[in-house]
Amino acid sequence: MIIKRTTGNRIAGTSSKGNQEKWQEDGRWFKLDMFGYEGLAETVTSALLSRTNIIELGFQYVTYRMERLEVHGRTRNGCSSADFLQPGESILTLADLLRKGVGSDWQSQVKRLPNMQAKIGWLVEQTERLTGLDRFGAYLTALFEADMLFGNEDRHLNNIAVLRRGEVFDYCPMFDFGAGLLSNVRDYPMDVEPKVLLSQLRAQPMNAQFVRQVHAAQANYGAQIRYDSSWEDIVNALAEPLAFYAERDRSYISDRVMFCIQTQYRKLKK
């Protein structure tokens, strides 16, 4: 495995969890594992997203690869992805979009709405009004479905974004699935049955069960994602990333990931 060397000076930011370090270099973004196997989760998820119809829907997703990184004098696991921004483009998160376009009290407006379906509808309506994107409901539903499929509990409004070039907007490639597949072994220990751990997950940004959030979005905009992966596809997606982790942990990680995807897929199909 190739080890990419970098320095602590390049650490540029952290995740919503507060500690996952990331930085940009040579046209790629790098992220370190912090609480478990986030790099594997990103890499496997992006490989399996290629087995969905996201591209057919007219949307994109970020492709990740595993990395061995020399950082802070230590060899660490992580992942990287190409910088998808074109010259003149920037990312605008929904959190920033709503704060600037609706006002600092936008959250209080959402709280007054009667149910989750109405809240999701409000987010979509405001985003479409402010950006001119007329399929944001389908995009958001597909994103929620992908989060459910891979058990990604970290889809806060700083992980939902649009692309901006001047006053023109576009859909952002779907990114940041590192909290999925039970990757955080601090919060979801390896010695606890995956079935128990999955029951504890809460979907963001609605802080609800994945099924409730997805069904509310689908009620507004229809089901979006079609997932066609087989058992063999998941095994193949896991093969290379697993080699980055200690041999004693590989079977545990593999079992957790397989169980997570299969269980969440059954729920998504209901």
Side-chain angles (χ1 to χ4, degrees):
M1 298 177 189
I2 297 174
I3 295 179
K4 180 176 179 60
R5 298 184 181 277
T6 187
T7 69
N9 298 340
R10 293 197 175 103
I11 300 303
T14 60
S15 72
S16 64
K17 298 286 187 181
N19 292 310
Q20 190 178 14
E21 295 174 311
K22 55 188 175 182
W23 67 96
Q24 188 180 30
E25 183 181 356
D26 299 331
R28 296 191 70 82
W29 277 97
F30 295 84
K31 295 196 292 186
L32 294 178
D33 285 3
M34 288 303 298
F35 302 127
Y37 50 90
E38 294 95 334
L40 179 144
E42 294 278 27
T43 303
V44 169
T45 295
S46 65
L48 295 179
L49 285 174
S50 71
R51 306 291 299 177
T52 70
N53 62 329
I54 287 177
I55 302 300
E56 295 174 33
L57 291 171
F59 308 125
Q60 304 289 325
Y61 58 89
V62 175
T63 299
Y64 293 86
R65 73 183 186 203
M66 289 295 303
E67 300 281 358
R68 189 84 87 191
L69 301 162
E70 186 75 25
V71 180
H72 305 318
R74 296 174 54 201
T75 301
R76 304 274 297 278
N77 287 333
C79 65
S80 73
S81 60
D83 183 358
F84 54 78
L85 292 176
Q86 300 300 312
E89 276 187 342
S90 60
I91 290 178
L92 182 62
T93 69
L94 251 62
D96 284 339
L97 178 71
L98 294 172
R99 187 177 66 252
K100 294 173 182 177
V102 180
S104 58
D105 67 336
W106 69 266
Q107 290 178 322
S108 64
Q109 296 184 42
V110 176
K111 289 178 181 177
R112 290 195 293 268
L113 296 172
N115 54 49
M116 192 177 304
Q117 191 174 335
K119 291 175 181 178
I120 292 173
W122 185 93
L123 287 176
V124 170
E125 289 167 8
Q126 295 302 319
T127 301
E128 292 185 344
R129 177 180 67 84
L130 293 167
T131 65
L133 298 173
D134 60 4
R135 298 184 60 233
F136 193 77
Y139 172 88
L140 191 64
T141 302
L143 186 58
F144 286 171
E145 290 168 338
D147 285 334
M148 179 174 175
L149 178 60
F150 300 109
N152 178 35
E153 62 170 356
D154 197 31
R155 187 62 63 195
H156 50 85
L157 292 185
N158 284 312
N159 275 345
I160 306 174
V162 294
L163 299 180
R164 181 173 187 173
R165 182 196 291 264
E167 297 305 312
V168 178
F169 295 87
D170 202 352
Y171 299 97
C172 185
M174 298 178 186
F175 65 97
D176 209 342
F177 290 86
L181 303 179
L182 300 174
S183 68
N184 186 335
V185 299
R186 182 191 64 173
D187 291 344
Y188 303 108
M190 298 281 275
D191 58 352
V192 178
E193 288 290 331
K195 181 177 181 179
V196 175
L197 298 175
L198 288 177
S199 69
Q200 300 173 10
L201 295 180
R202 301 286 290 180
Q204 302 301 327
M206 294 295 147
N207 189 29
Q209 293 179 339
F210 280 102
V211 171
R212 284 194 63 212
Q213 179 168 284
V214 165
H215 284 178
Q218 289 175 338
N220 285 341
Y221 310 106
Q224 300 295 324
I225 281 188
R226 185 180 68 250
Y227 174 69
D228 298 321
S229 286
S230 65
W231 178 281
E232 184 179 5
D233 292 326
I234 303 173
V235 171
N236 290 339
L238 276 165
E240 183 180 358
L242 277 175
F244 281 74
Y245 297 88
E247 187 172 357
R248 68 177 184 275
D249 295 331
R250 292 174 192 170
S251 63
Y252 291 100
I253 295 173
S254 178
D255 289 347
R256 282 159 65 98
V257 169
M258 299 290 283
F259 185 85
C260 179
I261 295 172
Q262 290 177 318
T263 300
Q264 295 298 104
Y265 176 71
R266 287 195 295 269
K267 294 178 182 176
L268 184 60
K269 295 297 289 182
K270 288 183 178 179

